[in-house]
mmCIF file of all heavy atoms in Angstrom:
data_model
loop_
_atom_site.group_PDB
_atom_site.id
_atom_site.type_symbol
_atom_site.label_atom_id
_atom_site.label_comp_id
_atom_site.label_asym_id
_atom_site.label_seq_id
_atom_site.Cartn_x
_atom_site.Cartn_y
_atom_site.Cartn_z
ATOM 1 N N ALA C 181 -21.616 -27.416 97.352
ATOM 2 C CA ALA C 181 -20.683 -26.441 96.794
ATOM 3 C C ALA C 181 -19.849 -27.062 95.660
ATOM 4 O O ALA C 181 -19.661 -26.451 94.607
ATOM 5 C CB ALA C 181 -19.768 -25.895 97.887
ATOM 6 N N PHE C 182 -19.402 -28.297 95.865
ATOM 7 C CA PHE C 182 -18.560 -28.946 94.870
ATOM 8 C C PHE C 182 -19.345 -29.397 93.650
ATOM 9 O O PHE C 182 -18.878 -29.367 92.533
ATOM 10 C CB PHE C 182 -17.780 -30.080 95.504
ATOM 11 C CG PHE C 182 -17.118 -29.665 96.777
ATOM 12 C CD1 PHE C 182 -17.400 -30.307 97.968
ATOM 13 C CD2 PHE C 182 -16.258 -28.586 96.807
ATOM 14 C CE1 PHE C 182 -16.840 -29.882 99.125
ATOM 15 C CE2 PHE C 182 -15.683 -28.154 97.965
ATOM 16 C CZ PHE C 182 -15.977 -28.824 99.131
ATOM 17 N N TYR C 183 -20.593 -29.768 93.938
ATOM 18 C CA TYR C 183 -21.528 -30.094 92.892
ATOM 19 C C TYR C 183 -21.735 -28.856 92.007
ATOM 20 O O TYR C 183 -21.664 -28.914 90.775
ATOM 21 C CB TYR C 183 -22.823 -30.486 93.579
ATOM 22 C CG TYR C 183 -23.928 -31.068 92.754
ATOM 23 C CD1 TYR C 183 -23.713 -32.096 91.855
ATOM 24 C CD2 TYR C 183 -25.252 -30.633 92.930
ATOM 25 C CE1 TYR C 183 -24.756 -32.651 91.151
ATOM 26 C CE2 TYR C 183 -26.288 -31.189 92.239
ATOM 27 C CZ TYR C 183 -26.037 -32.191 91.321
ATOM 28 O OH TYR C 183 -27.054 -32.736 90.637
ATOM 29 N N ALA C 184 -21.877 -27.711 92.658
ATOM 30 C CA ALA C 184 -22.043 -26.460 91.920
ATOM 31 C C ALA C 184 -20.772 -26.090 91.144
ATOM 32 O O ALA C 184 -20.845 -25.681 89.985
ATOM 33 C CB ALA C 184 -22.407 -25.323 92.888
ATOM 34 N N VAL C 185 -19.613 -26.244 91.774
ATOM 35 C CA VAL C 185 -18.363 -25.932 91.107
ATOM 36 C C VAL C 185 -18.227 -26.789 89.845
ATOM 37 O O VAL C 185 -17.890 -26.298 88.770
ATOM 38 C CB VAL C 185 -17.152 -26.155 92.057
ATOM 39 C CG1 VAL C 185 -15.850 -26.109 91.283
ATOM 40 C CG2 VAL C 185 -17.142 -25.095 93.134
ATOM 41 N N GLY C 186 -18.568 -28.073 89.985
ATOM 42 C CA GLY C 186 -18.487 -28.967 88.808
ATOM 43 C C GLY C 186 -19.430 -28.519 87.731
ATOM 44 O O GLY C 186 -19.050 -28.449 86.545
ATOM 45 N N ALA C 187 -20.655 -28.161 88.091
ATOM 46 C CA ALA C 187 -21.661 -27.786 87.107
ATOM 47 C C ALA C 187 -21.258 -26.488 86.390
ATOM 48 O O ALA C 187 -21.270 -26.400 85.157
ATOM 49 C CB ALA C 187 -23.019 -27.643 87.761
ATOM 50 N N TYR C 188 -20.884 -25.473 87.154
ATOM 51 C CA TYR C 188 -20.502 -24.211 86.546
ATOM 52 C C TYR C 188 -19.208 -24.356 85.789
ATOM 53 O O TYR C 188 -19.038 -23.696 84.724
ATOM 54 C CB TYR C 188 -20.404 -23.104 87.610
ATOM 55 C CG TYR C 188 -21.747 -22.475 87.872
ATOM 56 C CD1 TYR C 188 -22.636 -23.015 88.814
ATOM 57 C CD2 TYR C 188 -22.181 -21.360 87.162
ATOM 58 C CE1 TYR C 188 -23.867 -22.464 89.027
ATOM 59 C CE2 TYR C 188 -23.434 -20.805 87.385
ATOM 60 C CZ TYR C 188 -24.278 -21.350 88.322
ATOM 61 O OH TYR C 188 -25.509 -20.795 88.548
ATOM 62 N N SER C 189 -18.262 -25.158 86.263
ATOM 63 C CA SER C 189 -17.019 -25.364 85.513
ATOM 64 C C SER C 189 -17.350 -25.915 84.148
ATOM 65 O O SER C 189 -16.836 -25.452 83.118
ATOM 66 C CB SER C 189 -16.071 -26.306 86.224
ATOM 67 O OG SER C 189 -15.778 -25.871 87.496
ATOM 68 N N TYR C 190 -18.183 -26.960 84.141
ATOM 69 C CA TYR C 190 -18.528 -27.582 82.897
ATOM 70 C C TYR C 190 -19.211 -26.559 81.951
ATOM 71 O O TYR C 190 -18.803 -26.375 80.804
ATOM 72 C CB TYR C 190 -19.418 -28.793 83.058
ATOM 73 C CG TYR C 190 -19.902 -29.325 81.729
ATOM 74 C CD1 TYR C 190 -19.032 -29.945 80.893
ATOM 75 C CD2 TYR C 190 -21.215 -29.157 81.329
ATOM 76 C CE1 TYR C 190 -19.438 -30.414 79.640
ATOM 77 C CE2 TYR C 190 -21.648 -29.596 80.086
ATOM 78 C CZ TYR C 190 -20.736 -30.214 79.253
ATOM 79 O OH TYR C 190 -21.147 -30.666 78.041
ATOM 80 N N ALA C 191 -20.204 -25.884 82.511
ATOM 81 C CA ALA C 191 -20.973 -24.946 81.689
ATOM 82 C C ALA C 191 -20.069 -23.864 81.098
ATOM 83 O O ALA C 191 -20.135 -23.586 79.894
ATOM 84 C CB ALA C 191 -22.081 -24.325 82.525
ATOM 85 N N LEU C 192 -19.220 -23.282 81.952
ATOM 86 C CA LEU C 192 -18.382 -22.166 81.479
ATOM 87 C C LEU C 192 -17.299 -22.647 80.493
ATOM 88 O O LEU C 192 -17.083 -22.035 79.464
ATOM 89 C CB LEU C 192 -17.784 -21.435 82.656
ATOM 90 C CG LEU C 192 -18.803 -20.697 83.536
ATOM 91 C CD1 LEU C 192 -18.182 -20.162 84.788
ATOM 92 C CD2 LEU C 192 -19.447 -19.559 82.724
ATOM 93 N N LEU C 193 -16.638 -23.734 80.847
ATOM 94 C CA LEU C 193 -15.559 -24.229 79.982
ATOM 95 C C LEU C 193 -16.124 -24.676 78.624
ATOM 96 O O LEU C 193 -15.558 -24.397 77.565
ATOM 97 C CB LEU C 193 -14.828 -25.391 80.663
ATOM 98 C CG LEU C 193 -13.915 -25.010 81.827
ATOM 99 C CD1 LEU C 193 -13.395 -26.236 82.520
ATOM 100 C CD2 LEU C 193 -12.769 -24.134 81.328
ATOM 101 N N ALA C 194 -17.264 -25.377 78.719
ATOM 102 C CA ALA C 194 -17.841 -25.884 77.448
ATOM 103 C C ALA C 194 -18.343 -24.742 76.593
ATOM 104 O O ALA C 194 -18.163 -24.762 75.369
ATOM 105 C CB ALA C 194 -18.983 -26.870 77.775
ATOM 106 N N LYS C 195 -18.970 -23.724 77.210
ATOM 107 C CA LYS C 195 -19.525 -22.648 76.393
ATOM 108 C C LYS C 195 -18.458 -21.673 75.923
ATOM 109 O O LYS C 195 -18.498 -21.176 74.793
ATOM 110 C CB LYS C 195 -20.609 -21.896 77.203
ATOM 111 C CG LYS C 195 -21.917 -22.605 77.204
ATOM 112 C CD LYS C 195 -23.044 -21.737 77.677
ATOM 113 C CE LYS C 195 -23.443 -20.744 76.562
ATOM 114 N NZ LYS C 195 -24.697 -20.078 76.876
ATOM 115 N N THR C 196 -17.505 -21.373 76.811
ATOM 116 C CA THR C 196 -16.516 -20.365 76.483
ATOM 117 C C THR C 196 -15.470 -20.886 75.497
ATOM 118 O O THR C 196 -15.089 -20.251 74.537
ATOM 119 C CB THR C 196 -15.816 -19.833 77.739
ATOM 120 O OG1 THR C 196 -16.778 -19.685 78.757
ATOM 121 C CG2 THR C 196 -15.098 -18.531 77.483
ATOM 122 N N PHE C 197 -14.965 -22.103 75.801
ATOM 123 C CA PHE C 197 -13.859 -22.624 75.003
ATOM 124 C C PHE C 197 -14.298 -23.710 74.040
ATOM 125 O O PHE C 197 -13.492 -24.282 73.309
ATOM 126 C CB PHE C 197 -12.757 -23.169 75.913
ATOM 127 C CG PHE C 197 -12.201 -22.126 76.817
ATOM 128 C CD1 PHE C 197 -12.538 -22.146 78.180
ATOM 129 C CD2 PHE C 197 -11.377 -21.130 76.358
ATOM 130 C CE1 PHE C 197 -12.046 -21.181 79.036
ATOM 131 C CE2 PHE C 197 -10.892 -20.145 77.209
ATOM 132 C CZ PHE C 197 -11.230 -20.158 78.560
ATOM 133 N N GLY C 198 -15.566 -24.042 74.086
ATOM 134 C CA GLY C 198 -16.058 -25.077 73.143
ATOM 135 C C GLY C 198 -15.474 -26.457 73.429
ATOM 136 O O GLY C 198 -15.395 -27.281 72.495
ATOM 137 N N LEU C 199 -15.068 -26.684 74.652
ATOM 138 C CA LEU C 199 -14.507 -28.005 74.919
ATOM 139 C C LEU C 199 -15.643 -29.031 75.073
ATOM 140 O O LEU C 199 -16.743 -28.702 75.479
ATOM 141 C CB LEU C 199 -13.726 -27.979 76.219
ATOM 142 C CG LEU C 199 -12.491 -27.018 76.229
ATOM 143 C CD1 LEU C 199 -11.876 -26.951 77.628
ATOM 144 C CD2 LEU C 199 -11.472 -27.480 75.223
ATOM 145 N N GLY C 200 -15.311 -30.293 74.756
ATOM 146 C CA GLY C 200 -16.311 -31.346 74.804
ATOM 147 C C GLY C 200 -16.514 -31.872 76.217
ATOM 148 O O GLY C 200 -15.699 -31.629 77.118
ATOM 149 N N PHE C 201 -17.601 -32.603 76.394
ATOM 150 C CA PHE C 201 -17.943 -33.139 77.686
ATOM 151 C C PHE C 201 -16.831 -33.970 78.295
ATOM 152 O O PHE C 201 -16.460 -33.805 79.452
ATOM 153 C CB PHE C 201 -19.233 -33.991 77.582
ATOM 154 C CG PHE C 201 -19.640 -34.628 78.849
ATOM 155 C CD1 PHE C 201 -20.171 -33.887 79.894
ATOM 156 C CD2 PHE C 201 -19.463 -36.006 79.048
ATOM 157 C CE1 PHE C 201 -20.542 -34.479 81.070
ATOM 158 C CE2 PHE C 201 -19.849 -36.603 80.220
ATOM 159 C CZ PHE C 201 -20.386 -35.844 81.238
#
Side-chain angles (χ1 to χ4, degrees):
Chain C
F182 310 122
Y183 189 47
V185 168
Y188 275 87
S189 302
Y190 172 71
L192 292 172
L193 288 173
K195 279 196 76 168
T196 319
F197 301 106
L199 298 174
F201 177 72

